Amino acid sequence: MSVKNYQRFYQPLNAVHSADFNRCIYCGCEAARQDFIPPIKFIHDWQDGHLQADFISVPACNECTDLLKNENNATLEPRITVLKKRLAEKYKKAIRVFNHWSMEEIEEMDAAFQISLKGGMRLGKETLSRLQFAGFDYEVNGSITRVVKPQREVFKVFDEEFSSFREALAFASATYKIKKSRLSQLYFDNDESFDRAIEAFHGLVEGNP
C-alpha cells in the first residue's frame, strides 16, 4: 500500500486561530509538511489498537519533521518532548554563544570573530524562541484542544529575579566576578541554581569545596 493510501487512516490537526495557520506545531516556524503520528513507516506497530495512538497528521516545518522521522512515537506530547531535546542538542553551541556573549563584547573583537559570533547569536536566539514555543489551540475531527500557556520562567540570583537565563548569567557574572562559562557550568552542576553555583565557586576559590 502506498504512503497516500495510508494517509486515510489519519485525521488532520488544524489550528483554531488564523494567526496559527501554517505554523509548525512543534516550534512555531512556517509549516512545510505534514508529520504523521505515529509515523507511517511504523504504522503496523500501532494499527492493532491495543496501544494508544493518535493517528493524526500535524503541520510541521522541514527540520522538525526530519529530526523526528525515525522516532516511533504514537502520541503528540512525547513527540514534542523528543523534538525539543533534539533541537537543543543540535544548536547547543549557538545557544551557548547567545547566553555567554553580549553585542558590546562582540563589537570589541576583530571582523572575522564578529561575523562568526553574530551568526551564532542570531541562531541561538532563534533556537531559544523555538524551544519556548508552547504550541497553539487546535482542532481534530471537531474536538478542540486548548493549549495552556506556560507560566513565565523566573531565574533567581539570590534576591534578584530575571526573565531569562542569559540576563541572570550576565548579572551574576558581573556582580560576583565569575567568568560566564565557569558560572554556567557550575549552574548546571548545582541543580540549576545560581545561588548554589556562586557558593560552590567561592568554596572552591577558598579551598573549601
Side-chain angles (χ1 to χ4, degrees):
M1 190 181 289
S2 71
V3 168
K4 283 190 175 181
N5 287 332
Y6 279 120
Q7 290 178 9
R8 63 190 174 88
F9 294 110
Y10 295 80
Q11 291 287 335
L13 177 151
N14 298 304
V16 171
H17 307 294
S18 60
D20 297 316
F21 291 174
N22 297 319
R23 294 185 82 180
C24 173
I25 190 74
Y26 300 112
C27 75
C29 288
E30 183 178 354
R33 298 151 69 181
Q34 291 294 307
D35 184 43
F36 294 90
I37 308 175
I40 289 176
K41 66 190 289 185
F42 299 118
I43 193 171
H44 295 299
D45 295 346
W46 305 95
Q47 260 191 322
D48 60 13
H50 296 305
L51 298 171
Q52 182 182 358
D54 286 343
F55 283 100
I56 57 176
S57 60
V58 305
C61 66
N62 285 324
E63 184 172 33
C64 287
T65 307
D66 288 341
L67 287 172
L68 290 168
K69 65 183 178 183
N70 293 318
E71 191 63 33
N72 192 6
N73 298 113
T75 56
L76 178 60
E77 290 305 319
R79 205 160 174 79
I80 291 173
T81 300
V82 169
L83 182 281
K84 300 289 189 185
K85 288 179 180 177
R86 292 194 175 167
L87 207 58
E89 178 63 25
K90 181 176 180 179
Y91 294 112
K92 63 182 179 180
K93 289 183 179 178
I95 293 171
R96 190 181 302 124
V97 168
F98 178 73
N99 283 330
H100 289 191
W101 292 89
S102 68
M103 289 305 296
E104 291 77 11
E105 292 169 326
I106 292 174
E107 292 293 347
E108 295 176 357
M109 298 187 171
D110 65 44
F113 273 119
Q114 282 192 34
I115 293 171
S116 176
L117 287 174
K118 284 180 179 178
M121 288 276 285
R122 286 192 294 272
L123 184 56
K125 184 177 182 179
E126 176 188 317
T127 302
L128 285 173
S129 175
R130 295 173 71 188
L131 291 173
Q132 292 161 3
F133 181 68
F136 47 74
D137 297 343
Y138 60 83
E139 173 269 328
V140 176
N141 199 25
S143 177
I144 292 177
T145 297
R146 303 289 180 185
V147 175
V148 178
K149 300 303 179 185
Q151 289 186 328
R152 185 175 68 89
E153 191 171 7
V154 174
F155 297 86
K156 297 187 70 174
V157 181
F158 295 109
D159 294 329
E160 301 287 336
E161 294 187 351
F162 302 88
S163 60
S164 72
F165 173 79
R166 183 174 188 260
E167 292 172 337
L169 180 65
F171 170 82
S173 173
T175 303
Y176 297 97
K177 311 303 180 191
I178 309 171
K179 286 185 177 180
K180 288 179 183 177
S181 57
R182 181 69 174 125
L183 181 55
S184 178
Q185 184 62 55
L186 286 168
Y187 170 85
F188 290 106
D189 288 345
N190 287 273
D191 301 319
E192 298 187 12
S193 166
F194 278 109
D195 297 4
R196 293 179 185 177
I198 293 163
E199 289 167 353
F201 176 81
H202 288 143
L204 291 169
V205 169
E206 294 163 8
N208 298 308

